[in-house]
Amino acid sequence: MISLKNSLKAGAIAGVLWGWLCYLANFVSGVFPFEGSFAQNFITFSFGGAVFGVVTGGLLAVVGRFLPFRKTVFRAVFISAALWVVLRLAGDFLSMMEPERYHLVKPETVQGFFLALALGAILGLLLKKDERATAGNARA
Amino acid sequence: MERTLERGGMDALIPGIVLVALAFAMVVIAFGMESIAPGVHDTLHDFRHVLGMPCH
């Protein structure tokens, strides 16, 4: 079982890496033309990614054991995708209430969903590595 | 024993508080809630768009 503390730490690292991946993915795809400078985006994507990563890691530690997957990677991908879907559905709701303020763009949505899957994969792989290291230490 | 229980509780409580606070921060970032954190909308505007979250 993953401890909450370790999961939050792994989430923070995975989140920062994922933030950079988000920047790179959008730079390559060109789905959204960046409005901020590289320096500003480097900081905001790192910070935003860390926040999303920590929350995903925390949820994985809290509810991960109830999921019907044995592998940590699948659990992390499921939680990350589910979290994104919940936020996106709330965004749909906001868009319905205030259509002038909140607009939803399809290519950004597709990109965001795949990036959410990527966050889960990065977090799951980091935690798997951590679990292996812990098991190795216990055996030694 | 009481002290051990107290310590165990605190060890779980702090990460729990961090998780709840950051979950709230995540919602604020995702929807650019200016009324809660002034400046968050413009600061994390590109990040929100890249993730496919609703924006103007």
Side-chain angles (χ1 to χ4, degrees):
Chain A
M1 200 180 94
I2 315 154
S3 77
L4 181 58
K5 211 172 170 181
N6 285 349
S7 200
L8 293 181
K9 272 185 204 166
I13 297 165
V16 172
L17 293 174
W18 175 71
W20 298 342
L21 176 72
C22 288
Y23 185 89
L24 195 69
N26 189 71
F27 182 78
V28 172
S29 72
V31 165
F32 175 73
F34 289 118
E35 290 175 9
S37 66
F38 173 75
Q40 187 200 339
N41 279 335
F42 182 76
I43 296 164
T44 56
F45 276 69
S46 304
F47 175 75
V51 171
F52 273 70
V54 170
V55 175
T56 309
L59 284 176
L60 179 65
V62 176
V63 298
R65 74 193 88 158
F66 303 112
L67 295 176
F69 304 109
R70 284 189 67 189
K71 289 191 173 178
T72 311
V73 179
F74 293 143
R75 286 179 182 175
V77 169
F78 180 85
I79 286 179
S80 177
L83 191 62
W84 183 89
V85 169
V86 169
L87 286 173
R88 187 60 176 66
L89 287 176
D92 274 335
F93 192 67
L94 285 174
S95 182
M96 275 191 286
M97 287 198 308
E98 284 185 78
E100 289 128 37
R101 176 159 154 66
Y102 292 104
H103 297 286
L104 295 160
V105 186
K106 213 172 187 176
E108 289 175 10
T109 302
V110 175
Q111 176 175 265
F113 181 70
F114 281 109
L115 286 171
L117 298 180
L119 172 62
I122 297 168
L123 176 63
L125 290 172
L126 273 181
L127 282 170
K128 196 177 161 188
K129 204 176 159 191
D130 199 38
E131 276 172 6
R132 274 191 188 157
T134 312
N137 286 343
R139 253 183 268 133
Chain B
M1 189 183 164
E2 199 173 291
R3 194 173 277 181
T4 312
L5 283 175
E6 213 169 79
R7 212 192 139 173
M10 284 303 283
D11 282 351
L13 187 67
I14 293 165
I17 291 169
V18 169
L19 176 59
V20 172
L22 286 178
F24 183 69
M26 185 188 72
V27 175
V28 172
I29 290 169
F31 303 122
M33 294 172 165
E34 284 283 312
S35 54
I36 292 166
V40 73
H41 180 268
D42 289 344
T43 310
L44 289 138
H45 183 254
D46 288 4
F47 180 69
R48 202 163 45 252
H49 270 282
V50 169
L51 289 189
M53 290 298 147
C55 201
H56 60 73

